[in-house]
Amino acid sequence: MLARLKDLVIGPALPTKMESQRQLNIFRGLPAFSPDALASIAYANQEIYLGLVVAGSAGLAYAWPIGLGITGLLVMVALSYFQTIHGYPMGGGSYTVARSNLGELPGLLAAAALLVDYLLNAAVSLTAGVEAIASAFPQLWPYRIAMALGLLLVLTLVNLRGLQEAGAFMAVPVYLFLGAYLPMLAYGLIRLFLEGPTPLATVAPAPVQPVTLFLILHTFSTGSTALTGVEAISNGVPAFKSPQVRNAGRTLIIMATLMAILFAGSIGLTQSLGVVARPEETILSALARRLFDDNFLYFLIQFVTLGILTVAANTSFAGFPRLVAILARDGYLPRQLSSLGDRLAFTNGIILLSGFTAALILVFAGDTHALIPLFAIGAFLAFTLSQAGMVIHWWKEAGKNWILKSFINGMGALATLTTLIVVITSKFLHGAWITVLLIPIIVATFLKISRHYKAVRRELSLRGLPPSLRPLGALRVVIPISGVHRGMVGAVNFAKTISRDITGVYVELEPGAGSKAQEEWDSLWPDIPFVIVPSPYRSIVAPLLKYLDDTDTEHNDGQLATVVLPEFVPGKWWEAILHNQTAWMLKTALLYHRREYGKERVVIDVPFHLRL
Amino acid sequence: MLARLKDLVIGPALPTKMESQRQLNIFRGLPAFSPDALASIAYANQEIYLGLVVAGSAGLAYAWPIGLGITGLLVMVALSYFQTIHGYPMGGGSYTVARSNLGELPGLLAAAALLVDYLLNAAVSLTAGVEAIASAFPQLWPYRIAMALGLLLVLTLVNLRGLQEAGAFMAVPVYLFLGAYLPMLAYGLIRLFLEGPTPLATVAPAPVQPVTLFLILHTFSTGSTALTGVEAISNGVPAFKSPQVRNAGRTLIIMATLMAILFAGSIGLTQSLGVVARPEETILSALARRLFDDNFLYFLIQFVTLGILTVAANTSFAGFPRLVAILARDGYLPRQLSSLGDRLAFTNGIILLSGFTAALILVFAGDTHALIPLFAIGAFLAFTLSQAGMVIHWWKEAGKNWILKSFINGMGALATLTTLIVVITSKFLHGAWITVLLIPIIVATFLKISRHYKAVRRELSLRGLPPSLRPLGALRVVIPISGVHRGMVGAVNFAKTISRDITGVYVELEPGAGSKAQEEWDSLWPDIPFVIVPSPYRSIVAPLLKYLDDTDTEHNDGQLATVVLPEFVPGKWWEAILHNQTAWMLKTALLYHRREYGKERVVIDVPFHLRL
């Protein structure tokens, strides 16, 4: 019994760990993949309310039809993804589906759209979650930015430490959310039945705008963010228990049904009970307050809303680094982001995500309403490309019922494309232009990186002229001298081991310091020449580079002098910033200072470990 | 004529460039050193208003006496610094004066206080400047954080590019400010004379707090930020034309007089004209609006306020990196911040300042009023230490009138110490505790760094046992192999040049990849052994370190194997992040992986420049 309880509380693993082949049943699969989708009703509802309230009660009357329209769209998209699950039982992310069916460019477009969407999902979920709590505790309202950033920090740290165990806790907020919201809606229905509807006209604020087609379309666009997250299950089919496809498909149907009930139910109740929000309050908070007044249940609703939104933000932490790793493996992002099993790769991805999300929260001052116009575009672009890809997939496969399957996905693609166009046109000036601009820039970056890696691969190829495989002649060695001390000894000994032609070079920043150092040097190494290079501009690197270039030209022996650099290694990591800055700058300069093709200057680091 | 105009517009150089011995007369010295001091009246006035308005008209009636008290304090502090100019004609920063007269710890305390104050000056000036503009354009009010950060970015970039010419533009905002504010005050006086005073009781909002001693002291503390910046001239005496001391002294007197007129004048007018600010407006904006309504002159006043506050923020960009460099030279901060003439040192200082300032603006949500309680502490601590140091200075010198001089500085020290205590006690819970906590932490860091450098110097000394100065025996060389390609050729050739005992090591991440690489390797270098190290956890660094340690133990020949690392150098700088991440991690790991004292592992970088 206790073990089962623990199992329920600790729950199944995260999609991050899908590689480890955990086997999810429907009960565990639902919380693993649905938080993003379920939580989006929180901000979608709010957006519909904010979009219509400016037109007073006449505007708010459209909430229900718009809600129904979006629910219809949800059904179509869910059906489409139900098919994707069957078409790609190994996991069909939009990038995979679009790339394998439509080609490289549509694939990258889908990938860029998804990356942007992961960022916005994290930012919007956090700000919306904070708004839920700040609705309950108005004194927190001015601190929304700080609270959202704090929550982001917690998520970042939890994910950096590894989510293996913590991720399992995702099940708790999801079932708490369902367990609080579904009864609330039922209770609301009963109240509605007993009390009868409240006409909006008696409570709505006075209209400041007329109801226009543009207003309706705009509200539909912002409300369609309710659909974000529907695609998650189709990415994660392999994580399910066998029969995987059937279990994943059922989970999707259950999730979509729950989304429809929660979304349409809360909008319907809000409208028929005549609920209107205070200035610094979300509409869901107003609904809960209307039903429960200010008692314990109201606060519970706000906390579970924050809970599911936090978990929804967390899905970006699973998805973003994973997509980045796949893109890096395919050569579209820096290779160090690629190694899927490597802790560091995910660390980089998490830090990237966290940094960009923080920037979004800051730039948009933690305001969900300001972020939303940037949002849905990525999701609907990815939806459209993925569904269009599925049409081609069924057509190519030409299996049983392929025409029906193509038709369903085709309708899905058409519906999401239409929504995409509505979203872009109606929200363009409100911020959608940022996303419209950003996605092509990201795609261009992918292509540029890919071209670079391909060019490097060609250049590294050993085909063509055979390179010279002989050792070099006698080495000329130069030791830059920072001072005559114990740290130099190892460097000079090593130089002596590999060469008979050694020169110590001292860059003199203050007149007179050179001859003092030379005296000490001569007492230890009388047989090694000591050269003083003056530096009137107090730079160390430039005079040294010039000295090296000049002597190379002088000797003209077909090689560049080798540089032996003594380097301190302090005992404690933080002390590293107290040392070696000059050595590091010098190394970077030597590495990037290119003289002629085929001749390279070798740099030898001789560490000196401080005993401290 | 044109040349003189250009001279006026381009003006004299900045204190940053003081080293270059520009010779400032009073007319040019004033704008070079006064912006910080003059601009501080903008936020000091605002703080006095905000501090008193909570007590309604009864509270606001105290504005004038508090203003007079602060003006009196200003006169004392100015007199004290007038003496510092005579005592330290080579420039007497608080750190210098406190250190040379009171000892190391008071000196570091003064330095820490100044560093904190530079940060706060930048943050407060920017947020106050943005508030001035947002008062004129209320639609900008919600974007204050973004605007302050944008302004900070501009200042950072301008300073990073070098202020040599741009700095000269400082004169323009300063004289514009004086040219706009002094006539405004004169006009206000005329209006007051014609219209007679407006009783505050008729306009002030209802009190929400009673007038208490605490309220008065608290307001006095926040208002005393008007004095920040008075010390600037005493730091920069050598920049003046000879007779330097006399010119600097006169400039200080003119500046203090202007400060007193502007500060007392604007407070007096505000009170006697019964000016009250709107919720999202500064009191200076309200005063200007009262005098000019919303016409052109009102907007001019707001713009010149922004102008002088921006220039005031910029003085931190001159002072902070300079103080950091002096502290680094004295061994209290990382040495790379020290080289005074080096561009990079200032770059680091500027980036440090900019980063911390941005953090302050963000954490305090761009709210001047929230930042102020942290502010004055640093300034008044530095004032007190510097004045106390001057008392000792005169006493030690025992020259003409030393008793009178000591007395004046002693009174200054006493007055600023009293203010410091009032500031700390009355603002402790409002944020002053942060500064009170921060300053000792900074001092402790100074001491820790200083101890570290001293210990290293002892360890590096060549006294005691003479180190072995002989070359090593035959070298063992290990080449980590990422793949068999053209980039490996230089590394292998170099290894062959210095050793006959070479091993290529391949860390195998995917089973089977190793034997494929070995084939290619053997066809090029059949005489060099190729070792495959399996890596079940997909890490490259750990298995390689283990291999090196194991073979070192095996050979037991008194040395550690030398590692030869091929390293790609791409043609464009941004491409660097696409390469070498593994090489870099490996180098860092090798450097910090300490085996036993006296044995060091040498790492040899062999670059391969990509032709791209």
Side-chain angles (χ1 to χ4, degrees), chain A residues 452 459 579 594 600 603 605 609 611, chain B residues 452 459 579 600 603 609-611:
Chain A
H452 172 79
E459 188 173 345
H579 297 282
R594 183 194 294 221
E600 311 284 4
V603 178
D605 267 318
H609 280 97
R611 213 190 296 241
Chain B
H452 171 80
E459 187 174 346
H579 297 281
E600 311 282 6
V603 178
H609 280 96
L610 293 169
R611 214 190 295 241

mmCIF file with all atom_site columns, all heavy atoms in Angstrom, chain A residues 452 459 579 594 600 603 605 609 611, chain B residues 452 459 579 600 603 609-611:
data_model
loop_
_atom_site.group_PDB
_atom_site.id
_atom_site.type_symbol
_atom_site.label_atom_id
_atom_site.label_alt_id
_atom_site.label_comp_id
_atom_site.label_asym_id
_atom_site.label_entity_id
_atom_site.label_seq_id
_atom_site.pdbx_PDB_ins_code
_atom_site.Cartn_x
_atom_site.Cartn_y
_atom_site.Cartn_z
_atom_site.occupancy
_atom_site.B_iso_or_equiv
_atom_site.pdbx_formal_charge
_atom_site.auth_seq_id
_atom_site.auth_comp_id
_atom_site.auth_asym_id
_atom_site.auth_atom_id
_atom_site.pdbx_PDB_model_num
ATOM 1   N N   . HIS A 1 452 ? 29.300 25.605 -42.735 1.00 0.00 ? 452 HIS A N   1
ATOM 2   C CA  . HIS A 1 452 ? 30.647 25.663 -42.179 1.00 0.00 ? 452 HIS A CA  1
ATOM 3   C C   . HIS A 1 452 ? 31.183 24.264 -41.865 1.00 0.00 ? 452 HIS A C   1
ATOM 4   O O   . HIS A 1 452 ? 32.296 23.927 -42.246 1.00 0.00 ? 452 HIS A O   1
ATOM 5   C CB  . HIS A 1 452 ? 30.651 26.525 -40.914 1.00 0.00 ? 452 HIS A CB  1
ATOM 6   C CG  . HIS A 1 452 ? 31.949 26.486 -40.165 1.00 0.00 ? 452 HIS A CG  1
ATOM 7   N ND1 . HIS A 1 452 ? 33.047 27.218 -40.541 1.00 0.00 ? 452 HIS A ND1 1
ATOM 8   C CD2 . HIS A 1 452 ? 32.338 25.760 -39.091 1.00 0.00 ? 452 HIS A CD2 1
ATOM 9   C CE1 . HIS A 1 452 ? 34.049 26.967 -39.731 1.00 0.00 ? 452 HIS A CE1 1
ATOM 10  N NE2 . HIS A 1 452 ? 33.643 26.086 -38.834 1.00 0.00 ? 452 HIS A NE2 1
ATOM 11  N N   . GLU A 1 459 ? 37.741 20.147 -46.039 1.00 0.00 ? 459 GLU A N   1
ATOM 12  C CA  . GLU A 1 459 ? 39.131 20.576 -45.926 1.00 0.00 ? 459 GLU A CA  1
ATOM 13  C C   . GLU A 1 459 ? 39.962 19.581 -45.133 1.00 0.00 ? 459 GLU A C   1
ATOM 14  O O   . GLU A 1 459 ? 41.164 19.425 -45.373 1.00 0.00 ? 459 GLU A O   1
ATOM 15  C CB  . GLU A 1 459 ? 39.198 21.955 -45.262 1.00 0.00 ? 459 GLU A CB  1
ATOM 16  C CG  . GLU A 1 459 ? 40.606 22.532 -45.308 1.00 0.00 ? 459 GLU A CG  1
ATOM 17  C CD  . GLU A 1 459 ? 40.678 23.956 -44.811 1.00 0.00 ? 459 GLU A CD  1
ATOM 18  O OE1 . GLU A 1 459 ? 39.628 24.601 -44.699 1.00 0.00 ? 459 GLU A OE1 1
ATOM 19  O OE2 . GLU A 1 459 ? 41.794 24.408 -44.542 1.00 0.00 ? 459 GLU A OE2 1
ATOM 20  N N   . HIS A 1 579 ? 45.180 34.494 -11.706 1.00 0.00 ? 579 HIS A N   1
ATOM 21  C CA  . HIS A 1 579 ? 46.421 34.162 -12.406 1.00 0.00 ? 579 HIS A CA  1
ATOM 22  C C   . HIS A 1 579 ? 46.179 33.938 -13.885 1.00 0.00 ? 579 HIS A C   1
ATOM 23  O O   . HIS A 1 579 ? 45.050 33.776 -14.326 1.00 0.00 ? 579 HIS A O   1
ATOM 24  C CB  . HIS A 1 579 ? 47.019 32.879 -11.820 1.00 0.00 ? 579 HIS A CB  1
ATOM 25  C CG  . HIS A 1 579 ? 47.407 33.009 -10.388 1.00 0.00 ? 579 HIS A CG  1
ATOM 26  N ND1 . HIS A 1 579 ? 48.542 33.631 -9.978  1.00 0.00 ? 579 HIS A ND1 1
ATOM 27  C CD2 . HIS A 1 579 ? 46.765 32.625 -9.262  1.00 0.00 ? 579 HIS A CD2 1
ATOM 28  C CE1 . HIS A 1 579 ? 48.599 33.613 -8.657  1.00 0.00 ? 579 HIS A CE1 1
ATOM 29  N NE2 . HIS A 1 579 ? 47.519 33.009 -8.190  1.00 0.00 ? 579 HIS A NE2 1
ATOM 30  N N   . ARG A 1 594 ? 47.569 34.245 -37.610 1.00 0.00 ? 594 ARG A N   1
ATOM 31  C CA  . ARG A 1 594 ? 47.924 33.327 -38.698 1.00 0.00 ? 594 ARG A CA  1
ATOM 32  C C   . ARG A 1 594 ? 48.994 33.980 -39.564 1.00 0.00 ? 594 ARG A C   1
ATOM 33  O O   . ARG A 1 594 ? 48.853 35.116 -39.981 1.00 0.00 ? 594 ARG A O   1
ATOM 34  C CB  . ARG A 1 594 ? 46.665 33.067 -39.525 1.00 0.00 ? 594 ARG A CB  1
ATOM 35  C CG  . ARG A 1 594 ? 46.837 32.095 -40.642 1.00 0.00 ? 594 ARG A CG  1
ATOM 36  C CD  . ARG A 1 594 ? 45.648 32.204 -41.562 1.00 0.00 ? 594 ARG A CD  1
ATOM 37  N NE  . ARG A 1 594 ? 44.448 31.761 -40.867 1.00 0.00 ? 594 ARG A NE  1
ATOM 38  C CZ  . ARG A 1 594 ? 43.507 31.013 -41.431 1.00 0.00 ? 594 ARG A CZ  1
ATOM 39  N NH1 . ARG A 1 594 ? 43.631 30.623 -42.681 1.00 0.00 ? 594 ARG A NH1 1
ATOM 40  N NH2 . ARG A 1 594 ? 42.438 30.663 -40.765 1.00 0.00 ? 594 ARG A NH2 1
ATOM 41  N N   . GLU A 1 600 ? 52.553 26.466 -38.754 1.00 0.00 ? 600 GLU A N   1
ATOM 42  C CA  . GLU A 1 600 ? 51.768 26.711 -37.549 1.00 0.00 ? 600 GLU A CA  1
ATOM 43  C C   . GLU A 1 600 ? 52.725 26.912 -36.385 1.00 0.00 ? 600 GLU A C   1
ATOM 44  O O   . GLU A 1 600 ? 53.760 26.264 -36.291 1.00 0.00 ? 600 GLU A O   1
ATOM 45  C CB  . GLU A 1 600 ? 50.870 25.499 -37.246 1.00 0.00 ? 600 GLU A CB  1
ATOM 46  C CG  . GLU A 1 600 ? 50.064 24.997 -38.433 1.00 0.00 ? 600 GLU A CG  1
ATOM 47  C CD  . GLU A 1 600 ? 48.864 25.864 -38.765 1.00 0.00 ? 600 GLU A CD  1
ATOM 48  O OE1 . GLU A 1 600 ? 48.714 26.911 -38.109 1.00 0.00 ? 600 GLU A OE1 1
ATOM 49  O OE2 . GLU A 1 600 ? 48.092 25.506 -39.670 1.00 0.00 ? 600 GLU A OE2 1
ATOM 50  N N   . VAL A 1 603 ? 52.378 25.914 -29.366 1.00 0.00 ? 603 VAL A N   1
ATOM 51  C CA  . VAL A 1 603 ? 52.454 26.524 -28.035 1.00 0.00 ? 603 VAL A CA  1
ATOM 52  C C   . VAL A 1 603 ? 52.471 25.415 -26.990 1.00 0.00 ? 603 VAL A C   1
ATOM 53  O O   . VAL A 1 603 ? 51.621 24.529 -27.002 1.00 0.00 ? 603 VAL A O   1
ATOM 54  C CB  . VAL A 1 603 ? 51.256 27.456 -27.778 1.00 0.00 ? 603 VAL A CB  1
ATOM 55  C CG1 . VAL A 1 603 ? 51.324 28.036 -26.377 1.00 0.00 ? 603 VAL A CG1 1
ATOM 56  C CG2 . VAL A 1 603 ? 51.204 28.559 -28.813 1.00 0.00 ? 603 VAL A CG2 1
ATOM 57  N N   . ASP A 1 605 ? 52.340 24.404 -23.079 1.00 0.00 ? 605 ASP A N   1
ATOM 58  C CA  . ASP A 1 605 ? 51.984 24.811 -21.718 1.00 0.00 ? 605 ASP A CA  1
ATOM 59  C C   . ASP A 1 605 ? 52.748 23.976 -20.713 1.00 0.00 ? 605 ASP A C   1
ATOM 60  O O   . ASP A 1 605 ? 52.565 22.755 -20.660 1.00 0.00 ? 605 ASP A O   1
ATOM 61  C CB  . ASP A 1 605 ? 50.503 24.483 -21.453 1.00 0.00 ? 605 ASP A CB  1
ATOM 62  C CG  . ASP A 1 605 ? 49.616 25.645 -21.762 1.00 0.00 ? 605 ASP A CG  1
ATOM 63  O OD1 . ASP A 1 605 ? 49.998 26.760 -21.413 1.00 0.00 ? 605 ASP A OD1 1
ATOM 64  O OD2 . ASP A 1 605 ? 48.566 25.400 -22.373 1.00 0.00 ? 605 ASP A OD2 1
ATOM 65  N N   . HIS A 1 609 ? 52.109 23.803 -10.499 1.00 0.00 ? 609 HIS A N   1
ATOM 66  C CA  . HIS A 1 609 ? 51.067 23.709 -9.488  1.00 0.00 ? 609 HIS A CA  1
ATOM 67  C C   . HIS A 1 609 ? 51.515 24.379 -8.203  1.00 0.00 ? 609 HIS A C   1
ATOM 68  O O   . HIS A 1 609 ? 52.512 23.978 -7.615  1.00 0.00 ? 609 HIS A O   1
ATOM 69  C CB  . HIS A 1 609 ? 50.721 22.244 -9.201  1.00 0.00 ? 609 HIS A CB  1
ATOM 70  C CG  . HIS A 1 609 ? 49.805 21.658 -10.220 1.00 0.00 ? 609 HIS A CG  1
ATOM 71  N ND1 . HIS A 1 609 ? 50.266 20.912 -11.270 1.00 0.00 ? 609 HIS A ND1 1
ATOM 72  C CD2 . HIS A 1 609 ? 48.467 21.727 -10.370 1.00 0.00 ? 609 HIS A CD2 1
ATOM 73  C CE1 . HIS A 1 609 ? 49.235 20.526 -12.022 1.00 0.00 ? 609 HIS A CE1 1
ATOM 74  N NE2 . HIS A 1 609 ? 48.139 21.017 -11.507 1.00 0.00 ? 609 HIS A NE2 1
ATOM 75  N N   . ARG A 1 611 ? 51.536 25.048 -4.374  1.00 0.00 ? 611 ARG A N   1
ATOM 76  C CA  . ARG A 1 611 ? 51.332 24.098 -3.281  1.00 0.00 ? 611 ARG A CA  1
ATOM 77  C C   . ARG A 1 611 ? 50.149 24.526 -2.416  1.00 0.00 ? 611 ARG A C   1
ATOM 78  O O   . ARG A 1 611 ? 49.572 23.719 -1.688  1.00 0.00 ? 611 ARG A O   1
ATOM 79  C CB  . ARG A 1 611 ? 52.608 24.069 -2.431  1.00 0.00 ? 611 ARG A CB  1
ATOM 80  C CG  . ARG A 1 611 ? 52.910 22.725 -1.822  1.00 0.00 ? 611 ARG A CG  1
ATOM 81  C CD  . ARG A 1 611 ? 54.028 22.866 -0.837  1.00 0.00 ? 611 ARG A CD  1
ATOM 82  N NE  . ARG A 1 611 ? 55.274 23.280 -1.483  1.00 0.00 ? 611 ARG A NE  1
ATOM 83  C CZ  . ARG A 1 611 ? 56.384 22.534 -1.456  1.00 0.00 ? 611 ARG A CZ  1
ATOM 84  N NH1 . ARG A 1 611 ? 56.385 21.356 -0.875  1.00 0.00 ? 611 ARG A NH1 1
ATOM 85  N NH2 . ARG A 1 611 ? 57.488 22.972 -1.997  1.00 0.00 ? 611 ARG A NH2 1
ATOM 86  N N   . HIS B 1 452 ? 46.543 35.883 -0.761  1.00 0.00 ? 452 HIS B N   1
ATOM 87  C CA  . HIS B 1 452 ? 46.869 34.877 -1.763  1.00 0.00 ? 452 HIS B CA  1
ATOM 88  C C   . HIS B 1 452 ? 48.091 35.297 -2.577  1.00 0.00 ? 452 HIS B C   1
ATOM 89  O O   . HIS B 1 452 ? 49.036 34.530 -2.748  1.00 0.00 ? 452 HIS B O   1
ATOM 90  C CB  . HIS B 1 452 ? 45.677 34.642 -2.695  1.00 0.00 ? 452 HIS B CB  1
ATOM 91  C CG  . HIS B 1 452 ? 46.013 33.771 -3.866  1.00 0.00 ? 452 HIS B CG  1
ATOM 92  N ND1 . HIS B 1 452 ? 46.082 32.397 -3.791  1.00 0.00 ? 452 HIS B ND1 1
ATOM 93  C CD2 . HIS B 1 452 ? 46.337 34.082 -5.142  1.00 0.00 ? 452 HIS B CD2 1
ATOM 94  C CE1 . HIS B 1 452 ? 46.411 31.902 -4.961  1.00 0.00 ? 452 HIS B CE1 1
ATOM 95  N NE2 . HIS B 1 452 ? 46.568 32.909 -5.803  1.00 0.00 ? 452 HIS B NE2 1
ATOM 96  N N   . GLU B 1 459 ? 56.058 31.531 -2.370  1.00 0.00 ? 459 GLU B N   1
ATOM 97  C CA  . GLU B 1 459 ? 56.302 30.193 -2.916  1.00 0.00 ? 459 GLU B CA  1
ATOM 98  C C   . GLU B 1 459 ? 57.149 30.249 -4.174  1.00 0.00 ? 459 GLU B C   1
ATOM 99  O O   . GLU B 1 459 ? 57.915 29.324 -4.469  1.00 0.00 ? 459 GLU B O   1
ATOM 100 C CB  . GLU B 1 459 ? 54.971 29.493 -3.208  1.00 0.00 ? 459 GLU B CB  1
ATOM 101 C CG  . GLU B 1 459 ? 55.201 28.051 -3.615  1.00 0.00 ? 459 GLU B CG  1
ATOM 102 C CD  . GLU B 1 459 ? 53.902 27.276 -3.770  1.00 0.00 ? 459 GLU B CD  1
ATOM 103 O OE1 . GLU B 1 459 ? 52.862 27.759 -3.310  1.00 0.00 ? 459 GLU B OE1 1
ATOM 104 O OE2 . GLU B 1 459 ? 53.959 26.194 -4.361  1.00 0.00 ? 459 GLU B OE2 1
ATOM 105 N N   . HIS B 1 579 ? 34.055 24.867 -32.692 1.00 0.00 ? 579 HIS B N   1
ATOM 106 C CA  . HIS B 1 579 ? 35.169 23.925 -32.650 1.00 0.00 ? 579 HIS B CA  1
ATOM 107 C C   . HIS B 1 579 ? 35.810 23.897 -31.282 1.00 0.00 ? 579 HIS B C   1
ATOM 108 O O   . HIS B 1 579 ? 35.581 24.768 -30.465 1.00 0.00 ? 579 HIS B O   1
ATOM 109 C CB  . HIS B 1 579 ? 36.233 24.330 -33.676 1.00 0.00 ? 579 HIS B CB  1
ATOM 110 C CG  . HIS B 1 579 ? 35.740 24.272 -35.083 1.00 0.00 ? 579 HIS B CG  1
ATOM 111 N ND1 . HIS B 1 579 ? 35.629 23.110 -35.780 1.00 0.00 ? 579 HIS B ND1 1
ATOM 112 C CD2 . HIS B 1 579 ? 35.295 25.240 -35.907 1.00 0.00 ? 579 HIS B CD2 1
ATOM 113 C CE1 . HIS B 1 579 ? 35.136 23.371 -36.984 1.00 0.00 ? 579 HIS B CE1 1
ATOM 114 N NE2 . HIS B 1 579 ? 34.925 24.663 -37.087 1.00 0.00 ? 579 HIS B NE2 1
ATOM 115 N N   . GLU B 1 600 ? 54.844 17.649 -13.469 1.00 0.00 ? 600 GLU B N   1
ATOM 116 C CA  . GLU B 1 600 ? 53.804 18.386 -14.161 1.00 0.00 ? 600 GLU B CA  1
ATOM 117 C C   . GLU B 1 600 ? 53.606 17.768 -15.542 1.00 0.00 ? 600 GLU B C   1
ATOM 118 O O   . GLU B 1 600 ? 54.549 17.340 -16.187 1.00 0.00 ? 600 GLU B O   1
ATOM 119 C CB  . GLU B 1 600 ? 54.219 19.853 -14.333 1.00 0.00 ? 600 GLU B CB  1
ATOM 120 C CG  . GLU B 1 600 ? 54.735 20.509 -13.063 1.00 0.00 ? 600 GLU B CG  1
ATOM 121 C CD  . GLU B 1 600 ? 53.620 20.913 -12.102 1.00 0.00 ? 600 GLU B CD  1
ATOM 122 O OE1 . GLU B 1 600 ? 52.449 20.577 -12.385 1.00 0.00 ? 600 GLU B OE1 1
ATOM 123 O OE2 . GLU B 1 600 ? 53.917 21.542 -11.078 1.00 0.00 ? 600 GLU B OE2 1
ATOM 124 N N   . VAL B 1 603 ? 51.356 20.175 -21.847 1.00 0.00 ? 603 VAL B N   1
ATOM 125 C CA  . VAL B 1 603 ? 50.374 20.059 -22.922 1.00 0.00 ? 603 VAL B CA  1
ATOM 126 C C   . VAL B 1 603 ? 50.837 20.906 -24.101 1.00 0.00 ? 603 VAL B C   1
ATOM 127 O O   . VAL B 1 603 ? 51.159 22.082 -23.941 1.00 0.00 ? 603 VAL B O   1
ATOM 128 C CB  . VAL B 1 603 ? 48.985 20.541 -22.459 1.00 0.00 ? 603 VAL B CB  1
ATOM 129 C CG1 . VAL B 1 603 ? 47.983 20.467 -23.604 1.00 0.00 ? 603 VAL B CG1 1
ATOM 130 C CG2 . VAL B 1 603 ? 48.495 19.715 -21.288 1.00 0.00 ? 603 VAL B CG2 1
ATOM 131 N N   . HIS B 1 609 ? 45.244 25.764 -38.915 1.00 0.00 ? 609 HIS B N   1
ATOM 132 C CA  . HIS B 1 609 ? 44.421 26.868 -39.400 1.00 0.00 ? 609 HIS B CA  1
ATOM 133 C C   . HIS B 1 609 ? 43.584 26.416 -40.577 1.00 0.00 ? 609 HIS B C   1
ATOM 134 O O   . HIS B 1 609 ? 44.120 25.987 -41.593 1.00 0.00 ? 609 HIS B O   1
ATOM 135 C CB  . HIS B 1 609 ? 45.299 28.045 -39.821 1.00 0.00 ? 609 HIS B CB  1
ATOM 136 C CG  . HIS B 1 609 ? 45.768 28.864 -38.670 1.00 0.00 ? 609 HIS B CG  1
ATOM 137 N ND1 . HIS B 1 609 ? 46.991 28.675 -38.079 1.00 0.00 ? 609 HIS B ND1 1
ATOM 138 C CD2 . HIS B 1 609 ? 45.172 29.858 -37.975 1.00 0.00 ? 609 HIS B CD2 1
ATOM 139 C CE1 . HIS B 1 609 ? 47.138 29.537 -37.077 1.00 0.00 ? 609 HIS B CE1 1
ATOM 140 N NE2 . HIS B 1 609 ? 46.039 30.246 -36.989 1.00 0.00 ? 609 HIS B NE2 1
ATOM 141 N N   . LEU B 1 610 ? 42.277 26.540 -40.403 1.00 0.00 ? 610 LEU B N   1
ATOM 142 C CA  . LEU B 1 610 ? 41.385 26.221 -41.523 1.00 0.00 ? 610 LEU B CA  1
ATOM 143 C C   . LEU B 1 610 ? 41.522 27.322 -42.557 1.00 0.00 ? 610 LEU B C   1
ATOM 144 O O   . LEU B 1 610 ? 41.635 28.496 -42.235 1.00 0.00 ? 610 LEU B O   1
ATOM 145 C CB  . LEU B 1 610 ? 39.943 26.133 -41.011 1.00 0.00 ? 610 LEU B CB  1
ATOM 146 C CG  . LEU B 1 610 ? 39.711 24.957 -40.067 1.00 0.00 ? 610 LEU B CG  1
ATOM 147 C CD1 . LEU B 1 610 ? 38.353 25.080 -39.399 1.00 0.00 ? 610 LEU B CD1 1
ATOM 148 C CD2 . LEU B 1 610 ? 39.793 23.641 -40.820 1.00 0.00 ? 610 LEU B CD2 1
ATOM 149 N N   . ARG B 1 611 ? 41.522 26.908 -43.818 1.00 0.00 ? 611 ARG B N   1
ATOM 150 C CA  . ARG B 1 611 ? 41.751 27.865 -44.895 1.00 0.00 ? 611 ARG B CA  1
ATOM 151 C C   . ARG B 1 611 ? 40.544 28.782 -45.090 1.00 0.00 ? 611 ARG B C   1
ATOM 152 O O   . ARG B 1 611 ? 40.635 29.846 -45.667 1.00 0.00 ? 611 ARG B O   1
ATOM 153 C CB  . ARG B 1 611 ? 41.998 27.069 -46.176 1.00 0.00 ? 611 ARG B CB  1
ATOM 154 C CG  . ARG B 1 611 ? 42.987 27.710 -47.117 1.00 0.00 ? 611 ARG B CG  1
ATOM 155 C CD  . ARG B 1 611 ? 42.955 26.990 -48.418 1.00 0.00 ? 611 ARG B CD  1
ATOM 156 N NE  . ARG B 1 611 ? 43.416 25.609 -48.286 1.00 0.00 ? 611 ARG B NE  1
ATOM 157 C CZ  . ARG B 1 611 ? 44.485 25.141 -48.930 1.00 0.00 ? 611 ARG B CZ  1
ATOM 158 N NH1 . ARG B 1 611 ? 45.193 25.913 -49.693 1.00 0.00 ? 611 ARG B NH1 1
ATOM 159 N NH2 . ARG B 1 611 ? 44.814 23.878 -48.817 1.00 0.00 ? 611 ARG B NH2 1
#
